[in-house]
Amino acid sequence: MAGGLSTALISLLFAAIAATSPTVDFVDSEYSSVTPSSTSAAASPNPTVPYASDDPNGVLWLPSSDIIPTPERGALGASVLGPQNIPIDLMNADLLAPPTTDNGDIPNVKWPMGLSHNRLQTGGWARQQNIEVLPIATEMAGVNMRLEPGAIRELHWHKTSEWAYILKGNVQVTSINPDGQNFIGTVGSGDLWYFPAGIPHSLQATGDTPDGAEFLLASSEIFDTGAFSEDSTFLISLDWLAHVPKEVIAKNFQTDISAFNNIPSKELYIFPAIPPPDNQQAPESPQGTVPHPFTYPLSQVPITPLNGGSIKIVDSTVFTVSITIAAAEVTVEPGAMRELHWHPTQDEWDFFLQGNARMTLFASSSNARTWDFQAGDVGYVPAPYGHYVENIGNTTLKFLEVFRTNVYQDVSLAQWLALTPPELVKAHLGLSDETIATMKKTKQVVVGPA
């Protein structure tokens, strides 16, 4: 009887297998058509893992769109019934209606300089971004500063280095180094200056343009510590002479105390003055001038043209004094993108100069979030998060990538795959030989529309 029961069970088992065999045959035939032996086919995918979705996930609107934005994408979401800040939602389409490829959580990486408190002075203004407003930006911070013609950013120095990019106008900078060698130079739109930590310097807008100058300060003004505050620099007035007895000052300079009757009692910070002459010369120093200039004419450096844009890279290999900051000036044409990539060890601080951008950050553990950026916004990418920057507007996108390092580095996803054995790539991604063959073995940096 036991044997009969066993036979019956076996018969039922074979019947069940036979009943399901058409489905098994279908799956087998589907995967057998993409076997690794085919030179044009992809490797066999793992049937336990579904394919990535082909759902459309483009940006749904731009800041200039004449709509009332809603948090809806396809069948997902619903309209807003309560109060709505429409201008904010128009500028952040991928926060209100994120792509379905977003997953998990990443701290906020966007800060508009327009939301920073502005410090107004006679002669200009300054506003900053640091970890108080963008907590994820622990490695770098930034300041946006404006000087009217002739206005001076008071003689000062910092605990950290100062890197600057001129947005508009001309600025004359002066400095000396610990060896008593001095420097004077003028920089214009698209040019840079850099002062190492502790090196005293001044900034003065020239009279070359009626509007004076505006610039971006990075790493110690952008300051290379995210906790930096532009309000805590060492100023010659507030932090030095205003707190030294006048008889000590007179003794130091070997002169009469009355010579210092007019020194200010508090900081000057930004103040008006007569614009410097174009041919301003530094006082002749017995020690000579600095061996490495504190300015760099990036505006005069030819661009490296790319498929879909261009790039200029500047680091200590060409701007020798800039030993803690490296940067790239990137342009991306409409529909093109800064390729999928990451930076091995350094956080990336971005400043968007013009256009409309979309950026997704890919962290570990399947976390991914997408943000939209406009001119005047700061972006931040922790190392070594994968990311891209796509031009979603109708005009050229231009932005700065800035890093706290001496040499610019990045890793291209496409180059990595192109230089990995094809069978290994196919086993991971199910790509065909033809697709793998199109991958570039050199970095594309910016790629044009497909």
Side-chain angles (χ1 to χ4, degrees):
M1 185 174 178
L5 178 60
S6 175
T7 302
L9 289 172
I10 292 172
S11 298
L12 288 171
L13 177 62
F14 276 107
I17 293 173
T20 59
S21 60
T23 302
V24 173
D25 287 342
F26 173 77
V27 173
D28 286 345
S29 64
E30 178 186 12
Y31 291 137
S32 65
S33 66
V34 288
T35 59
S37 60
S38 171
T39 60
S40 62
S44 298
N46 185 343
T48 65
V49 177
Y51 297 129
S53 171
D54 288 336
D55 291 344
N57 274 299
V59 66
L60 297 181
W61 61 80
L62 294 175
S64 59
S65 298
D66 186 18
I67 63 168
I68 296 177
T70 61
E72 297 175 293
R73 184 177 287 273
L76 302 176
S79 62
V80 177
L81 298 180
Q84 183 177 8
N85 190 326
I86 293 175
I88 291 292
D89 288 341
L90 284 171
M91 291 187 289
N92 298 281
D94 287 308
L95 291 183
L96 189 66
T100 59
T101 45
D102 278 10
N103 189 65
D105 186 38
I106 293 178
N108 179 51
V109 301
K110 173 181 177 178
W111 180 256
M113 274 291 186
L115 291 180
S116 293
H117 179 268
N118 209 352
R119 179 177 179 177
L120 305 183
Q121 298 283 136
T122 304
W125 50 257
R127 54 189 179 180
Q128 66 183 14
Q129 165 274 313
N130 58 20
I131 58 174
E132 290 184 0
V133 297
L134 192 60
I136 196 174
T138 58
E139 290 294 312
M140 303 188 75
V143 172
N144 180 203
M145 186 173 289
R146 169 86 158 83
L147 299 177
E148 293 184 331
I152 296 172
R153 169 65 171 94
E154 177 179 359
L155 286 162
H156 65 285
W157 67 98
H158 310 281
K159 292 190 297 183
T160 51
S161 58
E162 173 179 306
W163 181 97
Y165 178 92
I166 305 295
L167 299 171
K168 188 174 182 180
N170 296 324
V171 177
Q172 188 173 101
V173 301
T174 69
S175 183
I176 69 164
N177 66 13
D179 296 324
Q181 298 168 315
N182 60 356
F183 176 82
I184 187 168
T186 299
V187 283
S189 298
D191 292 337
L192 313 175
W193 74 68
Y194 175 92
F195 295 111
I199 296 298
H201 53 280
S202 70
L203 318 170
Q204 185 175 18
T206 71
D208 297 328
T209 63
D211 295 325
E214 185 175 341
F215 43 90
L216 183 71
L217 295 164
S219 174
S220 111
E221 265 186 54
I222 298 173
F223 301 89
D224 57 13
T225 167
F228 186 90
S229 170
E230 165 64 1
D231 299 330
S232 59
T233 56
F234 292 86
L235 305 174
I236 194 172
S237 58
L238 174 69
D239 295 309
W240 197 237
L241 296 186
H243 301 292
V244 177
K246 282 191 178 179
E247 58 269 25
V248 174
I249 300 175
K251 183 185 298 185
N252 182 82
F253 289 100
Q254 293 291 286
T255 187
D256 189 84
I257 193 172
S258 62
F260 298 94
N261 283 343
N262 296 325
I263 64 173
S265 61
K266 60 181 183 179
E267 67 177 2
L268 298 172
Y269 190 62
I270 294 173
F271 61 97
I274 298 172
D278 292 337
N279 60 350
Q280 178 80 279
Q281 298 296 311
E284 185 175 348
S285 170
Q287 293 75 226
T289 58
V290 298
H292 302 289
F294 291 128
T295 59
Y296 185 75
L298 182 63
S299 64
Q300 300 174 29
V301 174
I303 64 169
T304 299
L306 304 166
N307 176 23
S310 67
I311 193 170
K312 293 182 183 181
I313 294 175
V314 56
D315 57 20
S316 61
T317 62
V318 292
F319 189 14
T320 54
V321 74
S322 185
I323 59 174
T324 65
I325 297 294
E329 182 187 87
V330 184
T331 68
V332 182
E333 296 305 320
M337 62 181 282
R338 172 75 169 91
E339 68 172 334
L340 290 159
H341 68 286
W342 68 94
H343 304 278
T345 60
Q346 297 300 329
D347 292 5
E348 174 181 330
W349 189 96
D350 296 321
F351 189 80
F352 291 85
L353 299 166
Q354 64 184 47
N356 291 278
R358 185 192 211 196
M359 178 166 66
T360 297
L361 273 63
F362 309 92
S364 59
S365 304
S366 296
N367 290 301
R369 282 288 178 91
T370 304
W371 283 266
D372 304 302
F373 296 88
Q374 296 86 39
D377 288 346
V378 172
Y380 198 81
V381 184
Y385 284 22
H387 57 288
Y388 69 92
V389 181
E390 183 183 12
N391 185 346
I392 57 174
N394 299 317
T395 60
T396 300
L397 171 68
K398 186 177 183 180
F399 65 99
L400 299 174
E401 300 176 354
V402 188
F403 307 87
R404 188 181 175 188
T405 185
N406 63 328
V407 177
Y408 180 93
Q409 292 181 323
D410 69 351
V411 178
S412 160
L413 175 62
Q415 184 185 44
W416 178 33
L417 296 181
L419 297 177
T420 298
E423 294 300 323
L424 190 59
V425 176
K426 287 192 286 186
H428 281 80
L429 303 177
L431 303 179
S432 68
D433 289 325
E434 287 84 355
T435 298
I436 294 174
T438 65
M439 294 180 179
K440 306 297 183 182
K441 296 182 178 179
T442 58
K443 292 178 184 177
Q444 301 305 289
V445 185
V446 177
V447 293

